[in-house]
Amino acid sequence: MMLEDLYRLLRSGHVQAQGVVDTMSQPVIVLDHRFYVTTANNAFIKTFQVKRDDLLGESLFDLGDGQWDIPELRELIAGVIPKSVAVIGFEVKHDFPGIGQLTFLVDARRLVHPDDSSTNLGDVRGCHRA
């Protein structure tokens, strides 16, 4: 297989994965091993009233002038996730400026890439106003 063919194959896999994430009705955000946003779906952008360009490549905890620096969420993502395979249904209540009080469930799972040691995390789901 030529390098160009391999690139096309990898690119099409990425496009398909992004398409699946984008069609999900629940908010989804994917973080890298440093907790920087690698992607977010349209439901996340709409629910949390953010622009995609303001998310990508940014630390989750710096988003919205630090409004995502929620102690329970930070502990979950920085402390629990690296030591476990997955977390399902971790409830977070937070008052987001301009949006109001939201209660949401966090499902997070480490995704380890077989070709290197990098890790991604995701998703946020079940958002509703308290």
Side-chain angles (χ1 to χ4, degrees), residues 32-114:
D32 68 11
H33 65 284
R34 300 173 305 139
F35 315 123
Y36 281 70
V37 178
T38 61
T39 192
N41 72 351
N42 295 329
F44 185 93
I45 290 166
K46 182 178 177 183
T47 300
F48 294 102
Q49 301 175 9
V50 294
K51 295 179 184 173
R52 190 178 304 272
D53 290 343
D54 293 340
L55 293 173
L56 300 180
E58 298 297 323
S59 167
L60 172 68
F61 304 119
D62 292 340
L63 296 179
D65 295 326
Q67 67 183 345
W68 279 90
D69 196 2
I70 305 165
E72 300 85 4
L73 187 60
R74 180 181 281 276
E75 182 179 338
L76 173 77
I77 292 173
V80 175
I81 294 299
K83 298 174 187 169
S84 64
V85 175
V87 172
I88 307 297
F90 183 84
E91 185 176 276
V92 176
K93 293 181 182 183
H94 188 66
D95 189 16
F96 289 90
I99 299 173
Q101 180 87 19
L102 287 180
T103 301
F104 55 95
L105 300 177
V106 175
D107 290 349
R109 175 175 308 274
R110 287 183 300 149
L111 304 173
V112 179
H113 299 282

